[in-house]
Amino acid sequence: PVSIGMSLDIASIDTISEINMDYTATIFLRQRWTDERLCFDGNKSLSLDGRLVEMLWVPDTFIVDSKRSFLHDVTVENRLIRIYPNGTVLYAIRITTTVSCSMDLTKYPMDKQTCTLQLESCKS
């Protein structure tokens, strides 16, 4: 098994829709793992063009309860791939996602809602 470290920063919560029972947020997702096949001699990391991600193994991470999501691509895809001499890979992307959130509005306007943002990974 491969151990994957993750961090997630919420850049913005763009909309909350009581009618659609969802919210839209822009997030920065960073994942880090080690792939020994990518080890190289040197003492500096390599930053790769985001288009090269198709040539690497990356975790199959998805957002639970996402209705729709997209990766930002202005002016180029907002992806960072950095490989360190020991084979550690840093993969970072910017995503905007709309996620379901079941809300109980029976006490509106004195209600309080809790919406989650969960990430999972498929096993393959």
Side-chain angles (χ1 to χ4, degrees):
V2 177
S3 295
I4 302 165
M6 291 183 147
S7 69
L8 182 137
D9 290 322
I10 298 175
S12 63
I13 297 177
D14 306 314
T15 60
I16 300 172
S17 174
E18 297 84 4
I19 294 169
N20 296 323
M21 298 260 180
D22 61 24
Y23 68 96
T24 301
T26 298
I27 62 173
F28 292 98
L29 173 63
R30 284 176 292 285
Q31 300 175 93
R32 184 184 297 262
W33 66 93
T34 300
D35 186 336
E36 294 171 358
R37 299 170 298 177
L38 299 175
C39 292
F40 62 91
D41 291 328
N43 58 4
K44 293 190 177 191
S45 64
L46 299 172
S47 292
L48 304 179
D49 186 300
R51 294 173 289 193
L52 294 175
V53 74
E54 305 300 327
M55 301 175 74
L56 297 174
W57 176 88
V58 295
D60 188 8
T61 306
F62 64 94
I63 300 168
V64 178
D65 296 327
S66 176
K67 292 181 172 182
R68 62 192 156 276
S69 297
F70 68 90
L71 299 177
H72 290 258
D73 59 3
V74 176
T75 60
V76 295
E77 282 189 324
N78 291 185
R79 294 186 195 206
L80 166 73
I81 303 169
R82 184 168 290 145
I83 302 175
Y84 295 87
N86 68 350
T88 296
V89 179
L90 171 64
Y91 178 53
I93 53 178
R94 182 168 68 129
I95 306 168
T96 293
T97 185
T98 300
V99 182
S100 292
C101 177
S102 296
M103 299 179 197
D104 179 3
L105 303 172
T106 55
K107 296 182 181 177
Y108 182 82
M110 304 305 287
D111 60 332
K112 180 178 177 182
Q113 305 302 323
T114 301
C115 297
T116 61
L117 180 61
Q118 298 178 65
L119 299 175
E120 291 186 5
S121 180
C122 290
K123 295 179 184 177
S124 52

